Amino acid sequence: MKKIEPFVFDKKIPLDEIDALIEMKKPILKFKDQKEERTKIEHQDIKAYLEKLPG
């Protein structure tokens, strides 16, 4: 684990140890009045989700 800032740490975690990911989409600019969206990506779907991300 590496300390980045006073309360921020960086730690590498294998995908097999992640139970789920929470994707949060917070609207900005002219869309800021819209509701924030949260999506839970289950353990078995994480690899497929990451493969679809751009870049």
Side-chain angles (χ1 to χ4, degrees), residues 10-27:
D10 182 15
K11 180 179 179 183
K12 295 188 187 287
I13 301 171
L15 282 178
D16 295 340
E17 292 183 18
I18 299 174
D19 295 329
L21 293 177
I22 304 295
E23 177 185 55
M24 297 178 2
K25 295 179 182 178
K26 184 173 182 177

Side-chain angles (χ1 to χ4, degrees), residues 5-50:
E5 293 178 19
F7 300 101
V8 178
F9 294 89
D10 182 15
K11 180 179 179 183
K12 295 188 187 287
I13 301 171
L15 282 178
D16 295 340
E17 292 183 18
I18 299 174
D19 295 329
L21 293 177
I22 304 295
E23 177 185 55
M24 297 178 2
K25 295 179 182 178
K26 184 173 182 177
I28 60 171
L29 303 174
K30 67 179 183 178
F31 304 104
K32 67 182 178 185
D33 296 329
Q34 294 181 3
K35 191 171 140 184
E36 181 178 288
E37 292 181 36
R38 291 179 184 221
T39 307
K40 183 175 181 180
I41 298 103
E42 297 294 340
H43 175 77
Q44 65 272 14
D45 302 323
I46 292 176
K47 286 184 183 179
Y49 172 80
L50 293 174

